[in-house]
Amino acid sequence: MASVAAATTTASAVKKEKKKVNERVAFKTESEVEVLDDGFKWRKYGKKMVKNSPNPRNYYKCSADGCPVKKRVERDRVDPSFVITTYEGSHNHASRN
């Protein structure tokens, strides 16, 4: 019994290590266009309909080689004149400007 409990504890510890918490920063901007120029080049890799929202969420990755940063762009559910942009991670290079 003790070895089963130890194995379970070890497995849950490994799962916690795998799930890293990346730094997230979100901006809410009033804008007619969805994608705002932030000085970096992005590649769109997905689109998803979000619960309780008529607007889709778009997913982007930084196009620089090896850069881990991702961003999500969506319209505000309450006031669609606002765009919410969420960045996850830190760039490992300078902006293109």
Side-chain angles (χ1 to χ4, degrees):
M1 285 257 194
S3 63
V4 173
T8 305
T9 304
T10 305
S12 67
V14 170
K15 284 183 184 178
K16 286 182 183 177
E17 283 181 30
K18 284 184 181 179
K19 187 176 181 181
K20 287 185 175 181
V21 177
N22 289 330
E23 178 184 339
R24 283 190 186 153
V25 179
F27 297 95
K28 186 175 179 180
T29 310
E30 191 168 11
S31 174
E32 290 182 12
V33 295
E34 296 220 0
V35 181
L36 306 171
D37 184 15
D38 57 5
F40 293 96
K41 192 172 178 186
W42 300 94
R43 177 176 57 85
K44 186 175 179 179
Y45 73 93
K47 184 176 188 174
K48 178 181 175 182
M49 290 306 293
V50 184
K51 287 184 181 178
N52 303 321
S53 177
N55 305 304
R57 178 185 295 156
N58 294 301
Y59 296 89
Y60 299 87
K61 287 183 180 180
C62 182
S63 61
D65 287 340
C67 186
V69 180
K70 297 178 183 179
K71 79 173 178 178
R72 298 186 319 222
V73 180
E74 61 188 293
R75 289 262 165 211
D76 188 14
R77 293 177 189 160
V78 179
D79 186 354
S81 67
F82 284 91
V83 174
I84 300 171
T85 305
T86 305
Y87 294 91
E88 185 175 329
S90 297
H91 289 281
N92 57 9
H93 58 92
S95 67
R96 63 183 174 152
N97 292 340

